[in-house]
């Protein structure tokens, strides 16, 4: 598997990792928050950030522990077991050593793509706000097996550090040692006279690309162009779009990079890493090109599926509040699990501080202990049934997580989770924030 490192458009280079043979079982997901009643939500104590608009950054590298040039520690080193690593939201330059803020001091939350690579043991990472919070987190962001490269996009409240410094987030590693890569996709902040923060609108999820039925399988160097700002999608005013991107049945290692049409391929950063035989999805936010299109650059061999979830634009309606302490909403390991081909209703409003006027929610969904391959569909409880798209794909025996953004329905104030699999699984849902009309 490859975790994308610095490269030029002419010569795309990436660190090649040798995958050891492993028979370890799926990495365990963390247990519910201390004191939580099994099968119910664990109530966070930190509240939520003030509603704010979104500023897209494309994709920018914040951390690569493999490189002393992109590591605030000043040296290439892995995260240790039980380590909570501070990540200033800045770029790092080594000559002379200096921090260049990427996210402004008034940012309330960031959208980051986090990648674990070269892990020595099965384990998980948690991206959270406060580096000084003691003990292991009650939630997780991504799970990995020894030797794998796994990525996930998450929205997380930031920890301000005072005037003249960049805010920060933290990454916790629970087991073994692992390298970590963090790419920032954008941030939430109030609008100012010099920076326009866009609002968000959800759309009914719709599939716009499926190479299994049109276009053919992607090879190394393939570029797929997708029309994402269109009247037919309700996204004609989009400046950035929110997508669920899935690499289906890859036969090699590889990664995908999304970027606006009319722009150069980003120098570094990746949105989705995949490996042979492992169908994997990731949530992606990407700026839209002037012609309403985006490009996706591929390495390796895979089919590709793209689902549109929502968009940001100047005439959209909703502002975002990140919960300052991520909160567990669901853990089926304590109520019998999720049966094959079944739907679970998950109440949202009034749970973990989500207000009555919340329009959409963001969650980190995890499937663990799946007995068969499958996928999840997450959608509003009262808006016409399943959309026929997917949010998370999993293989038997693997623990997999993905970020989910969904309307919570105007009447039920709940979301439905459809478990499309021939065997039972365990489902975990952690609240990361919510949108309100502003």
């Amino acid at each position: 598997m490859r975790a994308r490192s610095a490269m030029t458009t002419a010569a795309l280079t990436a660190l090649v990792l040798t995958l050891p043979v492993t028979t370890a079982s799926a990495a365990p997901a963390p247990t519910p928050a201390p004191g939580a009643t099994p099968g119910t939500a664990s109530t966070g104590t930190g509240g939520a950030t003030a509603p704010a608009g979104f500023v897209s950054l494309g994709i920018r590298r914040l951390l690569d522990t493999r490189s002393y040039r992109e590591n605030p520690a000043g040296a290439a080193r892995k995260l240790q077991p039980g380590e909570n690593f501070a990540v200033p939201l800045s770029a790092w330059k080594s000559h002379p050593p200096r921090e260049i803020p990427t996210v402004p001091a008034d940012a309330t939350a960031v959208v980051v793509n986090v990648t674990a690579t070269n892990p020595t043991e099965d384990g998980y990472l948690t991206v959270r706000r406060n580096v000084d919070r003691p003990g292991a987190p009650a939630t997780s962001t991504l799970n990995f097996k020894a030797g794998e490269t796994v990525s996930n996009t998450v929205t997380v409240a930031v920890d301000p550090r005072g005037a003249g410094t960049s805010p920060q987030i933290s990454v916790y590693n629970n087991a073994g040692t692992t390298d970590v890569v963090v790419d920032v996709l954008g941030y939430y902040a109030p609008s100012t006279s010099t920076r326009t923060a866009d609002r968000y609108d959800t759309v009914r999820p719709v599939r716009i690309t499926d190479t299994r039925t049109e276009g053919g399988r992607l090879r190394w160097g393939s570029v797929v162009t997708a029309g994402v700002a269109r009247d037919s999608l309700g996204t004609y005013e989009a400046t950035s779009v929110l997508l669920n991107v899935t690499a289906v049945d890859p036969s090699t290692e590889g990664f995908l990079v999304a970027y606006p049409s009319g722009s150069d391929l980003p120098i570094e950063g990746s949105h989705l890493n995949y490996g042979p035989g492992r169908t994997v999805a990731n949530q992606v936010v990407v700026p839209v090109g002037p012609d309403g299109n985006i490009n996706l650059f591929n390495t390796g061999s895979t089919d590709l599926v793209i689902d549109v979830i929502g968009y940001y634009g100047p005439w959209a309606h909703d502002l975002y509040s990140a919960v300052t302490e991520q909160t567990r909403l669901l853990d089926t390991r304590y109520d019998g699990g999720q049966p094959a081909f079944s739907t679970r209703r998950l109440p949202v409003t009034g749970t973990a501080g989500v207000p009555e006027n919340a329009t959409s929610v963001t969650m980190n969904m995890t499937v663990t202990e799946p007995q068969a391959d499958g996928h999840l569909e997450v959608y509003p409880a009262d808006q016409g049934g399943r959309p026929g798209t997917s949010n998370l794909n999993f293989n038997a025996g693997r623990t997999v997580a993905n970020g989910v953004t969904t309307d919570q329905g105007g009447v039920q104030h709940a979301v439905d989770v459809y478990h499309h699999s021939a065997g039972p699984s365990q489902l975990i849902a952690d609240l990361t924030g919510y949108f309100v009309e502003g």
Side-chain angles (χ1 to χ4, degrees):
M1 183 65 70
R2 297 168 180 168
R4 190 177 178 209
S5 58
M7 64 185 183
T8 65
T9 304
L12 296 168
T13 60
L15 179 65
V16 178
L17 309 177
T18 301
L19 292 178
V21 176
T22 176
T23 58
S25 60
T31 56
T37 302
T40 66
S42 56
T43 303
T45 59
T49 61
F54 181 72
V55 178
S56 179
L57 294 175
I59 187 167
R60 300 187 188 181
R61 177 64 42 89
L62 295 179
L63 170 70
D64 188 340
T65 62
R66 300 167 300 180
S67 167
Y68 76 93
R69 296 177 182 272
E70 296 177 301
N71 191 335
R77 72 165 183 85
K78 291 183 172 183
L79 267 64
Q80 301 302 300
E83 182 177 7
N84 202 27
F85 189 85
V87 184
L89 301 174
S90 304
W92 296 89
K93 301 298 180 183
S94 56
H95 299 294
R98 64 193 189 276
E99 176 183 351
I100 303 175
T102 301
V103 173
D106 65 342
T108 58
V110 287
V111 182
V112 291
N113 194 57
V114 180
T115 304
T117 189
N118 299 322
T120 58
E121 298 181 19
D122 294 1
Y124 64 85
L125 297 180
T126 301
V127 182
R128 56 181 177 173
R129 176 178 185 262
N130 192 347
V131 72
D132 298 320
R133 188 170 180 83
T139 61
S140 61
T141 301
L142 63 85
N143 292 71
F144 50 80
K145 282 182 171 290
E148 280 188 343
T149 296
V150 181
S151 56
N152 191 16
T153 298
V154 64
T155 304
V156 60
V158 303
D159 188 6
R161 294 193 293 163
T165 59
S166 174
Q168 68 180 17
I169 57 176
S170 70
V171 179
Y172 173 87
N173 174 47
N174 91 301
T177 64
T178 186
D179 280 308
V180 176
V181 178
V182 178
D183 297 320
V184 63
L185 310 183
Y187 62 89
Y188 291 94
S191 294
T192 70
S193 59
T194 58
R195 179 191 63 225
T196 300
D198 288 328
R199 302 184 182 211
Y200 175 78
D201 270 349
T202 188
V203 298
R204 181 171 174 81
V206 59
R207 184 150 294 172
I208 60 169
T209 299
D210 189 340
T211 63
R212 296 170 298 180
T213 59
E214 184 177 359
R217 192 172 180 84
L218 305 184
R219 304 298 177 183
W220 194 100
S222 298
V223 176
V224 173
T225 298
V228 293
R230 305 200 307 239
D231 289 347
S232 60
L233 300 176
T235 58
Y236 62 93
E237 64 158 352
T239 56
S240 298
V241 287
L242 187 63
L243 312 169
N244 201 69
V245 178
T246 306
V248 180
D249 193 26
S251 59
T252 67
E253 302 165 358
F255 58 82
L256 288 158
V257 187
Y259 58 102
S261 60
S263 299
D264 293 334
L265 179 70
I267 294 175
E268 58 186 358
S270 60
H271 289 94
L272 177 65
N273 287 270
Y274 57 81
R278 184 164 60 97
T279 295
V280 60
N282 201 10
Q283 191 167 252
V284 171
V285 58
V286 58
V288 178
D291 58 357
N293 296 331
I294 62 167
N295 293 331
L296 287 98
F297 175 86
N298 174 68
T299 69
S301 175
T302 187
D303 275 307
L304 174 68
V305 169
I306 304 173
D307 299 326
V308 177
I309 301 169
Y311 72 95
Y312 297 90
W315 305 110
H317 299 90
D318 296 343
L319 301 174
Y320 184 73
S321 290
V323 295
T324 52
E325 182 184 343
Q326 296 166 20
T327 302
R328 181 138 296 171
L329 300 178
L330 172 70
D331 190 338
T332 67
R333 293 174 295 179
Y334 299 94
D335 67 1
Q338 191 68 27
F341 303 112
S342 63
T343 301
R344 178 178 291 259
R345 181 150 295 177
L346 181 59
V348 177
T349 294
T351 303
V354 179
E356 289 288 336
N357 64 334
T359 57
S360 303
V361 293
T362 61
M363 301 181 291
N364 199 61
M365 293 291 304
T366 303
V367 173
T368 191
E369 303 173 23
Q371 302 303 301
D373 296 356
H375 69 266
L376 297 183
E377 296 181 42
V378 186
Y379 53 96
D382 59 359
Q383 293 190 7
R386 292 193 284 126
T389 54
S390 60
N391 296 92
L392 184 156
N393 294 73
F394 52 89
N395 297 111
R398 287 181 175 267
T399 298
V400 181
N402 195 24
V404 171
T405 302
T406 180
D407 193 315
Q408 64 154 345
V411 177
Q412 295 288 343
H413 295 293
V415 299
D416 283 345
V417 182
Y418 176 65
H419 174 241
H420 183 96
S421 178
S425 301
Q426 304 293 346
L427 309 184
I428 298 167
D430 297 323
L431 178 74
T432 56
Y434 53 85
F435 289 91
V436 295
E437 189 166 356

